[in-house]
Amino acid sequence: MEKLFRTSPDLKVIYVLVRPKQGQTLQQRVFQILDSKLFEKVKEVCPNVHEKIRAISADLNQNDFAISKEDMQELLSHTNIVFHCAATVRFDDHLRHAVQLNVTATQQLLLMASQMPKLEAFIHISTAFSNCNLKHIDEVVYPCPVEPKKIIDSMEWLDDAIIDEITPKLIGDRPNTYTYTKALGEVVVQQEGGNLNIAIIRPSIVGATWQEPFPGWVDNLNGPSGLIIAAGKGFLRSIRATPMAVADLIPADTVVNLTLAVGWYTAVHRPKSTLVYHCTSGNLNPCNWGKMGLQVLATFEKIPFERAFRRPNADFTTNNITTHYWNAVSHRAPAIIYDFYLRLTGRKPRMTKLMNRLLRTLSMVEYFINRSWEWSTYNTEMLMSALSPEDQRVFNFDVRQLNWLEYIENYVLGVKKYLLKEDMAGIPEAKQHLKRLRNIHYLFNTALFLIAWRLLIARSQVARNVWFFIVSFCYKFLSYFRASSTLNA
Ligand SMILES: CCCCCCCCCCCCCCCCCCCCCCCCCCCCCC(=O)SCCNC(=O)CCNC(=O)[C@H](O)C(C)(C)COP(=O)(O)OP(=O)(O)OC[C@H]1O[C@@H](n2cnc3c(N)ncnc32)[C@H](O)[C@@H]1OP(=O)(O)O
Ligand SMILES: NC(=O)C1=CN([C@@H]2O[C@H](COP(=O)(O)OP(=O)(O)OC[C@H]3O[C@@H](n4cnc5c(N)ncnc54)[C@H](OP(=O)(O)O)[C@@H]3O)[C@@H](O)[C@H]2O)C=CC1
């Protein structure tokens, strides 16, 4: 919405399907977004942006999306382009719910779109990981072993226990219900698109903005953002990842630019078949998790997060044994100690719960950070050359120009400012806090060493001999210096 109004201020109206949430009306939800920093630039070119966004009450889990008759009529008769990006992105969602939102709702939306007389294009947002069971992925829709229609039907009459049982068999070598149902969604789009002008966009891991409307903007915890917070606050100390595996991140504004360009191309050129566009970075400008992780840590030195639990110092592990070891030593043990301290001081323990949640999240993303994929980008490159030089500049999605180190630094800064809502003025205090944590860390390690040594001396003759040798050596060394300084005087 932001980019559309900034580049096309004459646009008449954008209809957004919104559900009320957490005690907010849909109008309040939309206005909260419009009143954020993200929309400041837009308001300069399009001051009446509030009037141009029409929030329509809709729940994609309901029949006809629970849209009122009048709203439905308005939508059907006025819509020119549909951008379908609503989805459940949870990796652990129950198959029934994931199918409902990512497959059935897509089917229903296509049906709605077929009743829109003025519709010029239907743009479906999928994910580059919908076929993550393959190593090389082309810009085509891959068939699924079980037809989506059969899956949709079976979800209506199977009970939850049976669905739980068949889920691993259905998802096969995909890691979760999210990637599986996004793949089914694509097949539905291809099979049931009828005469619509359709395109599918597959972004990889969406990160903060690169340039527009300003660098580093981010507003959710998906992808790496949540883990950047966990690392910056010192909770995340080790992560099972392959440093050389490609980190296929793609900035949010690149995805937006490609999506709008695809909307234009699909509406104007009306390709005969459904085109799939990969919105990925790996084959044009690869960066690996090792480089990314190091840059994240380097940025914490300059721009630390406030009130960290421990000094940020995460590392990669590469096998099960070291992962279990570091999870026990660096994640669980400090959480237990801290909770014990909270109990002693009469407060409610919370760190173990938080740590368990983090470990669960880590186990779910492991699949994606220990493999590399190759995505072909012929359609995306074709689209780039189909744009005029001016449009190539305004709707830039050429990731070859992206400087990863600069991008990651802005990303971490964006996480601090827009997700954690921390003020830059707090940086000196945050640095002081980290110094205190470092001193506590040294003190704790020294105390631990002395206790271990004392126990060893009490039990072992060899340790006692070593201790005697060290003490007498130090004594002789000091006596020698005292004697030579007396002679010089
Ligand atoms: C050569 C030598 C090298 C040496 C190198 C050394 C360097 C050292 C390295 C240092 C590391 C530094 C930092 C790390 C930075 C890099 C880390 C890389 C990790 C990147 C991970 C990428 C994974 C991407 C996978 C891509 C898949 C496909 C992409 C897509 O198509 S779609 C989007 C993907 N979807 C998601 O991301 C959603 C995932 N979320 C979920 O599935 C669930 O939320 C959940 C994680 C399962 C948690 O479920 P729960 O029920 O337990 O919780 P709930 O959802 O209710 O939320 C509870 C609270 O937790 C918060 N939260 C939600 N999501 C996240 C999250 N992703 N991370 C953290 N926290 C999250 C949520 O807000 C709730 O908070 P509350 O309201 O306060 O309670
Ligand atoms: N983030 C990423 O790394 C990637 C995301 N994608 C795709 O991009 C799209 C957007 O994802 P992302 O922004 O990350 O995720 P979000 O969860 O932030 O966005 C999903 C949107 O769908 C809406 N939605 C979910 N359920 C319903 C419902 N029942 N009725 C109405 N609206 C609903 C949500 O609304 P509400 O705000 O009310 O919850 C939310 O705005 C998805 O299609 C995802 O598959 C693809 C590749 C990577």
Side-chain angles (χ1 to χ4, degrees), residues 14-21 24-30 53-75 109 112:
I14 295 183
Y15 295 102
V16 218
L17 305 191
V18 193
R19 52 180 172 171
K21 214 177 188 182
Q24 283 182 304
T25 63
L26 45 147
Q27 225 63 37
Q28 283 169 330
R29 287 196 72 190
V30 172
I53 293 181
R54 259 272 280 133
I56 304 262
S57 175
D59 183 345
L60 271 68
N61 283 324
Q62 310 288 327
N63 259 347
D64 285 337
F65 301 155
I67 298 177
S68 74
K69 267 205 177 122
E70 301 74 51
D71 283 347
M72 184 63 95
Q73 205 44 53
E74 191 175 344
L75 271 178
L109 194 61
M112 243 176 93

Side-chain angles (χ1 to χ4, degrees), residues 470-484:
I470 294 171
V471 172
S472 58
F473 179 80
C474 291
Y475 179 75
K476 278 182 192 150
F477 193 70
L478 285 176
S479 312
Y480 170 78
F481 267 102
R482 209 179 302 143
S484 62

Side-chain angles (χ1 to χ4, degrees), residues 89-91 127 129 178 221-223 226-227 314 357 360-361 364:
V89 300
R90 292 185 68 95
F91 294 146
T127 161
F129 295 93
Y178 169 66
L221 291 162
N222 293 343
L227 293 179
R357 202 174 251 176
R360 202 163 143 257
T361 304
M364 282 184 205

Side-chain angles (χ1 to χ4, degrees), residues 24 50 116 225 436:
Q24 283 182 304
H50 283 76
M116 295 174 172
S225 311
R436 280 195 294 273

Side-chain angles (χ1 to χ4, degrees), residues 17-21 29 33 58-62 65 84-91 97 100-102 105 124-129 178 182 201-207 219-224 250 255 279:
L17 305 191
V18 193
R19 52 180 172 171
K21 214 177 188 182
R29 287 196 72 190
I33 296 172
D59 183 345
L60 271 68
N61 283 324
Q62 310 288 327
F65 301 155
H84 173 36
C85 45
T88 166
V89 300
R90 292 185 68 95
F91 294 146
H97 185 246
Q100 170 60 44
L101 205 54
N102 296 349
H124 175 77
I125 309 293
S126 185
T127 161
F129 295 93
Y178 169 66
K182 288 298 273 190
I201 299 177
R202 290 188 184 144
S204 47
I205 303 171
V206 181
D219 79 342
N220 71 30
L221 291 162
N222 293 343
I250 190 85
V255 184
C279 190

Side-chain angles (χ1 to χ4, degrees), residues 103-360:
V103 194
T104 316
T106 302
Q107 192 186 39
Q108 267 203 59
L109 194 61
L110 286 164
L111 190 68
M112 243 176 93
S114 68
Q115 297 162 38
M116 295 174 172
K118 291 188 184 162
L119 192 76
E120 310 219 27
F122 182 104
I123 312 302
H124 175 77
I125 309 293
S126 185
T127 161
F129 295 93
S130 55
N131 299 291
C132 58
N133 51 326
L134 306 176
K135 180 133 181 53
H136 178 92
I137 303 163
D138 279 319
E139 288 168 306
V140 295
V141 174
Y142 291 91
C144 288
V146 184
E147 283 292 302
K149 273 187 203 152
K150 285 189 183 154
I151 303 283
I152 294 174
D153 286 346
S154 62
M155 292 298 130
E156 274 167 24
W157 57 271
L158 290 178
D159 66 26
D160 280 357
I162 301 181
I163 294 179
D164 285 343
E165 213 165 291
I166 61 169
T167 298
K169 293 186 185 77
L170 285 174
I171 68 174
D173 45 7
R174 286 189 179 80
N176 52 42
T177 53
Y178 169 66
T179 49
Y180 174 62
T181 52
K182 288 298 273 190
L184 288 176
E186 289 183 7
V187 177
V188 162
V189 167
Q190 199 185 42
Q191 288 179 345
E192 306 196 19
N195 294 327
L196 299 173
N197 265 323
I198 300 187
I200 296 174
I201 299 177
R202 290 188 184 144
S204 47
I205 303 171
V206 181
T209 54
W210 167 21
Q211 290 164 320
E212 295 180 81
F214 46 83
W217 177 81
V218 54
D219 79 342
N220 71 30
L221 291 162
N222 293 343
S225 311
L227 293 179
I228 290 176
I229 294 182
K233 293 277 182 183
F235 301 119
L236 174 65
R237 312 292 293 181
S238 81
I239 178 166
R240 185 166 182 191
T242 305
M244 295 315 288
V246 175
D248 209 300
L249 245 67
I250 190 85
D253 46 342
T254 307
V255 184
V256 168
N257 286 343
L258 176 74
T259 304
L260 299 186
V262 168
W264 163 79
Y265 187 85
T266 313
V268 171
H269 292 274
R270 303 186 164 254
K272 287 199 173 57
S273 59
T274 299
L275 292 189
V276 178
Y277 298 85
H278 281 161
C279 190
T280 53
S281 57
N283 62 339
L284 295 173
N285 183 3
C287 179
N288 61 41
W289 290 112
K291 185 173 167 186
M292 210 162 268
L294 285 175
Q295 182 63 3
V296 170
L297 292 182
T299 310
F300 291 147
E301 295 282 325
K302 278 200 268 179
I303 315 162
F305 294 167
E306 289 170 15
R307 296 183 300 277
F309 173 59
R310 293 178 71 190
R311 272 178 79 78
N313 186 18
D315 206 351
F316 290 147
T317 59
T318 44
N319 66 56
N320 268 337
I321 298 173
T322 49
T323 304
H324 284 305
Y325 173 79
W326 287 116
N327 277 348
V329 172
S330 288
H331 290 142
R332 291 191 200 281
I336 292 169
I337 294 171
Y338 188 71
D339 275 352
F340 181 65
Y341 162 75
L342 286 180
R343 264 182 223 278
L344 280 184
T345 50
R347 283 173 288 174
K348 201 174 159 214
R350 58 192 158 84
M351 201 49 75
T352 310
K353 198 171 156 203
L354 205 144
M355 215 42 109
N356 285 339
R357 202 174 251 176
L358 173 66
L359 294 182
R360 202 163 143 257

Side-chain angles (χ1 to χ4, degrees), residues 306-311 426 428-444:
E306 289 170 15
R307 296 183 300 277
F309 173 59
R310 293 178 71 190
R311 272 178 79 78
E429 169 52 31
K431 285 189 174 167
Q432 274 302 322
H433 178 69
L434 291 187
K435 269 192 193 149
R436 280 195 294 273
L437 287 178
R438 188 195 54 195
N439 293 343
I440 293 173
H441 176 78
Y442 287 156
L443 214 69
F444 183 80

